Amino acid sequence: TGYGGTTQSSVKLPEKVHDRQITVTFNADTDPGLNWKFKPGEKSNKIRIGESALTFYIAENMEDRDVKGHATYNVVPHKAGQYFVKVACFCFEEQILNPRQKVNMPVSYFIDPAILDDPEMDDVQTITLSYTFFPVKE
């Protein structure tokens, strides 16, 4: 629904890019039961409203066996979640990493131009995209 920091998804990009910019910061956490190193590839990215952006998260399996994980996500401030739209994301599917494998996992996203029509969003200058990886129990 986009409430409580949940993002939206779309396969269609906005038709117009606007002048207003928002800084998107990236956060990564791992459940203690998952022996992976997980971090964002960059600290932040400043984008214009409606502009398509791409970032990567880096995951490394520290085990000597295949390990399956699944990422949950959130956006802060929560009220911005309905305007944060993912086009493609590693979080849409479970991830299997081979022993000691290190991978770059992409997230393609944009900020919905509808944010400009919401007066409650006028104070939002920064949005944080946060992921937590959990083990998938077989």
Side-chain angles (χ1 to χ4, degrees):
T1 62
Y3 296 107
T6 302
T7 64
Q8 303 297 304
S9 63
S10 176
V11 294
K12 183 179 177 187
L13 297 173
E15 294 179 14
K16 183 177 178 189
V17 174
H18 300 267
D19 290 335
R20 180 177 166 198
Q21 294 185 326
I22 289 185
T23 299
V24 180
T25 62
F26 306 103
N27 179 68
D29 295 297
T30 308
D31 180 83
L34 185 65
N35 191 14
W36 284 9
K37 289 183 181 177
F38 179 55
K39 64 182 182 178
E42 60 185 337
K43 285 186 173 188
S44 66
N45 189 3
K46 186 174 255 189
I47 64 168
R48 295 183 297 160
I49 303 295
E51 177 181 28
S52 176
L54 178 67
T55 193
F56 290 87
Y57 279 73
I58 302 163
E60 183 177 5
N61 178 7
M62 305 309 293
E63 299 281 343
D64 290 322
R65 62 181 178 83
D66 290 352
V67 177
K68 187 184 293 187
H70 187 267
T72 61
Y73 52 87
N74 201 344
V75 168
V76 177
H78 296 299
K79 65 184 181 177
Q82 62 186 321
Y83 301 109
F84 194 97
V85 184
K86 293 184 206 171
V87 178
C89 181
F90 63 88
C91 63
F92 294 162
E93 299 176 355
E94 294 176 346
Q95 301 296 315
I96 300 174
L97 296 185
N98 296 322
R100 306 290 176 181
Q101 182 182 14
K102 184 176 184 178
V103 296
N104 290 326
M105 298 182 293
V107 181
S108 174
Y109 65 94
F110 63 89
I111 307 299
D112 188 334
I115 197 171
L116 298 169
D117 300 326
D118 185 343
E120 293 293 317
M121 300 303 295
D122 288 347
D123 64 332
V124 175
Q125 301 299 314
T126 301
I127 296 174
T128 300
L129 176 62
S130 181
Y131 289 95
T132 302
F133 251 110
F134 294 91
V136 174
K137 305 293 183 196
E138 300 287 337

